[in-house]
Amino acid sequence: MPVPVPAPITYTPVPIVEAKNLSESTFRLKYRSRKPVVIRGIVPSDLWFKQEDIIKKLKTPTVMIAHDNANFIDNDKYVSKRSAEDITVADIAQASSKQRLYLRSIVPEDVKDGLGLPLLQEIANVGSFKDDLMRLWLSSAGCITPLHYDRCHGTLLQLAGTKRFVIFSGDDTRQLYPCDGLNGPTHASRARYIGRHLDTQPSTILQQWPKLRDTDPWLVDLQPGDLLYTPPGFWHEVTSTSVSLSVTVPWDMTAQEIACVPAHMAF
């Protein structure tokens, strides 16, 4: 008898909406804590970022170097860190084939002022963002933030270059090979390189991570100006598909949302 062919991984494109067409009520009813969405038109169309100018404004930036030259987790088991006062965009870009670099920094105030955050606050009905967790990220091509989830509402604004996100609902947690605290932090997964093969060679993923066959991921390739919303507890893997400049803008869950978190997010 012929050997049955395993079903491939199927994915859903993340929906894309224009900010001018997205009301607070629509965001709340369709997306908040429910599913990811890309919002376009948050950043003013006449605003363009010169990466070198931004890098020169950074205060106490840190560069992470992954031990495996690919996967970046903020944990000493996986990365080393160094200060980056003299780093340039060219340093990040040229590092890709030798030793990939991932720079992170507090967002300069004048950059923050140009990000269209009041419009995002209005759409999300947020009094204030988590300024202590807002970060600017500059990465070499090929840098990966492995599959993990966050405990807050998260948005990532792509300023330059491109990033690929693969996103899973918390309902898929059992199929996502979560770490147990010994083989990695409990909010992270052991699965790797999903975005690299999801739309071209899904069998490559399933050979190593067969339980992913029973998941329902979303996929999106972010372009400059795109803002991606990811709900709390949703797993996501992020791959810099080029030299990339991004800003993350998170905000806290409400008391009611915290009271209803799924088991995998238990505090």
Side-chain angles (χ1 to χ4, degrees):
M1 295 180 62
V3 176
V5 178
I9 302 174
T10 59
Y11 64 87
T12 301
V14 174
I16 299 172
V17 298
E18 293 290 334
K20 64 182 179 181
N21 299 328
L22 185 59
S23 66
E24 182 276 333
S25 60
T26 298
F27 178 79
R28 172 168 41 85
L29 295 173
K30 290 188 65 174
Y31 303 112
R32 182 170 177 137
S33 297
R34 300 174 188 274
K35 65 180 179 180
V37 62
V38 171
I39 305 173
R40 287 185 172 161
I42 289 286
V43 177
S45 59
D46 60 347
L47 180 64
W48 195 249
F49 293 88
K50 292 184 178 179
Q51 299 179 65
E52 284 291 1
D53 291 345
I54 290 178
I55 298 304
K56 292 175 183 177
K57 299 174 182 178
L58 301 183
K59 297 179 180 179
T60 62
T62 299
V63 163
M64 295 187 290
I65 303 170
H67 299 330
D68 66 358
N69 197 32
N71 292 280
F72 291 77
I73 306 176
D74 191 4
N75 185 297
D76 292 342
K77 288 178 61 176
Y78 303 98
V79 302
S80 58
K81 301 174 187 175
R82 64 179 175 86
S83 59
E85 288 83 357
D86 300 322
I87 201 76
T88 67
V89 173
D91 294 330
I92 301 287
Q94 295 167 4
S96 59
S97 62
K98 297 174 292 184
Q99 187 173 59
R100 295 183 177 93
L101 304 176
Y102 216 137
L103 179 149
R104 70 177 181 186
S105 173
I106 295 171
V107 183
E109 287 300 319
D110 56 342
V111 174
K112 189 185 299 183
D113 291 342
L115 295 181
L117 298 184
L119 178 54
L120 178 58
Q121 281 185 277
E122 179 182 335
I123 291 172
N125 191 20
V126 177
S128 62
F129 298 113
K130 290 181 69 67
D131 285 347
D132 58 323
L133 293 181
M134 192 181 302
R135 292 290 183 270
L136 181 145
W137 305 87
L138 177 64
S139 54
S140 306
C143 288
I144 299 170
T145 304
L147 193 63
H148 70 287
Y149 70 85
D150 300 312
R151 297 183 183 277
C152 54
H153 297 275
T155 56
L156 181 138
L157 178 57
Q158 190 68 17
L159 299 181
T162 55
K163 274 186 172 174
R164 165 165 286 198
F165 273 72
V166 183
I167 306 171
F168 301 83
S169 165
D171 294 340
D172 285 334
T173 296
R174 291 187 177 217
Q175 286 74 46
L176 296 179
Y177 302 88
C179 297
D180 59 9
L182 298 176
N183 55 21
T186 55
H187 71 292
S189 165
R190 293 181 287 119
R192 295 288 187 270
Y193 305 109
I194 303 169
R196 180 179 296 180
H197 304 296
L198 183 61
D199 59 343
T200 56
Q201 296 176 291
S203 60
T204 301
I205 304 171
L206 294 176
Q207 287 172 7
Q208 188 167 11
W209 314 107
K211 290 193 290 186
L212 291 181
R213 182 182 296 110
D214 299 319
T215 64
D216 296 298
W218 286 272
L219 178 68
V220 64
D221 292 307
L222 292 185
Q223 306 298 316
D226 287 350
L227 180 139
L228 173 66
Y229 165 73
T230 306
F234 275 52
W235 298 79
H236 48 288
E237 181 197 77
V238 190
T239 303
S240 296
T241 46
S242 72
V243 178
S244 169
L245 181 66
S246 312
V247 171
T248 47
V249 185
W251 70 89
D252 284 325
M253 291 185 288
T254 64
Q256 182 178 5
E257 289 170 337
I258 292 173
C260 299
V261 296
H264 77 283
M265 288 183 66
F267 289 89

